[in-house]
């Protein structure tokens, strides 16, 4: 199974598309810029919901109203970030996989997703009873605070990738 994964990574890294991204003076920075803007939209839109969970913003609006108003933007931006990140990844896949900040970024994104799933699957079961209150239950505030910390760490690791990559 591990060998299959290595072969798949090598296939994409050795592709003409990866070579074009790696060698073109404009393509990599263009894709990277799109990735950064998409990440800003993802983190920024999630921040709106998290600040509501913490009771620091939009306290006059219900949690579900805040979340539903921004959900399409969040998922669309996440899809763009995933696609652009995938293109950046294939340009030097083996080097990215050897970079601890890249691995940490992926693990932190997974942790943020798990935090969201736990919140929606467990903590928010009785959300209609409390979502309009200014001060939400501790479990909602903890989910929002943890989400903010995780996404800040994702962004920090993303920046460190660029400063620590050995591409030569």
């Amino acid at each position: 199974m591990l060998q299959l994964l290595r072969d798949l990574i090598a296939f994409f890294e050795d592709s003409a598309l990866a070579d074009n991204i790696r060698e073109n003076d404009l393509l990599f920075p263009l894709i990277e810029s799109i990735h950064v803007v998409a990440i800003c939209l993802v983190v920024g839109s999630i921040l709106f919901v998290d600040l509501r969970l913490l009771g620091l913003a939009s306290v006059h609006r219900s949690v579900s109203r805040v979340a539903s108003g921004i959900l399409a933007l969040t998922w669309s931006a996440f899809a763009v970030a995933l696609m652009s990140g995938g293109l950046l990844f294939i340009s030097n896949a083996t080097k990215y996989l050897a970079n601890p900040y890249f691995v940490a970024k992926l693990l932190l994104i997974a942790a943020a997703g798990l935090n969201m799933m736990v919140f929606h699957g467990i903590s928010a079961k009785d959300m209609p009873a409390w979502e309009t209150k200014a001060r939400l239950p501790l479990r909602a505030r903890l989910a929002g605070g943890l989400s903010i910390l995780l996404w800040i760490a994702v962004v920090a690791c993303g920046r460190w990738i660029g400063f620590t990559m050995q591409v030569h």
Side-chain angles (χ1 to χ4, degrees):
M1 184 67 168
L2 191 56
Q3 186 58 44
L4 178 64
L5 184 60
R6 285 185 184 134
D7 292 344
L8 186 62
I9 289 168
F11 171 78
F12 283 113
E13 189 172 32
D14 295 337
S15 70
L17 177 60
D19 191 47
N20 282 331
I21 294 168
R22 195 171 35 250
E23 301 299 325
N24 187 300
D25 288 341
L26 296 176
L27 200 51
F28 188 94
L30 175 64
I31 295 168
E32 187 175 38
S33 296
I34 291 168
H35 186 68
V36 168
V37 169
I39 289 293
C40 288
L41 290 171
V42 169
V43 175
S45 63
I46 289 171
L47 187 62
F48 277 112
V49 178
D50 292 339
L51 289 174
R52 173 59 184 105
L53 291 174
L54 289 170
L56 299 174
S58 301
V59 293
H60 60 283
R61 298 176 75 193
S62 69
V63 173
S64 59
R65 186 170 173 209
V66 171
S68 67
I70 205 152
L71 191 61
L73 172 66
T74 305
W75 283 111
S76 298
F78 187 78
V80 171
L82 191 62
M83 288 185 286
S84 58
L87 291 172
L88 295 172
F89 172 73
I90 67 168
S91 73
N92 276 298
T94 52
K95 304 265 196 252
Y96 279 107
L97 288 173
N99 185 300
Y101 293 106
F102 177 79
V103 174
K105 180 181 174 180
L106 294 183
L107 292 173
L108 288 162
I109 290 169
L114 180 62
N115 180 55
M116 178 188 67
M117 288 177 10
V118 167
F119 173 72
H120 287 289
I122 297 170
S123 301
K125 287 281 189 204
D126 61 345
M127 188 165 58
W130 50 259
E131 74 167 336
T132 57
K133 296 179 180 176
R135 183 168 170 86
L136 302 181
L138 179 61
R139 65 186 183 273
R141 296 191 316 265
L142 287 174
L146 181 58
S147 175
I148 290 171
L149 292 175
L150 288 168
W151 284 108
I152 288 171
V154 166
V155 170
C157 285
R159 289 304 305 135
W160 275 315
I161 292 167
F163 293 111
T164 58
M165 279 289 288
Q166 301 296 323
V167 293
H168 296 88

